[in-house]
Amino acid sequence: KLLTSEKQVEAYYTVVAGDAPSSIAQKVGLPYADLKALNPTIEQKCMVGQKVLINRPKPYTSVRITRDEQYDI
């Protein structure tokens, strides 16, 4: 189960000119309701340069599976 577990990593997005709360949510791949829950005042205050909290689940580890196959012809 460890390989499918996730941990939360605190991450931020910096608001740029032209951003709105809905476009930020779309850019970072977060449902708008989740973005608003993490940043309750984002609808009243969304200014260029502001740091917006976004939490993304990150896997504890990544796994690469390699396989060698040999065929006799």
Side-chain angles (χ1 to χ4, degrees):
K1 180 121 182 162
L2 177 61
L3 295 179
T4 60
S5 296
E6 296 179 336
K7 64 180 178 176
Q8 286 294 108
V9 176
E10 194 169 271
Y12 292 87
Y13 171 83
T14 303
V15 178
V16 295
D19 275 345
S22 58
S23 65
I24 294 169
Q26 189 174 30
K27 282 182 184 180
V28 301
L30 195 64
Y32 180 74
D34 292 353
L35 181 70
K36 190 174 172 188
L38 291 168
N39 303 277
T41 62
I42 196 166
E43 290 178 334
Q44 293 81 32
K45 181 183 174 191
C46 186
M47 299 166 48
V48 173
Q50 177 182 344
K51 301 279 187 200
V52 176
L53 179 62
I54 54 170
N55 275 357
R56 293 186 174 186
K58 295 273 185 165
Y60 280 111
T61 186
S62 59
V63 175
R64 182 187 310 177
I65 298 173
T66 52
R67 173 179 27 200
D68 290 329
E69 294 184 17
Q70 294 181 2
Y71 299 95
D72 292 328
I73 299 181

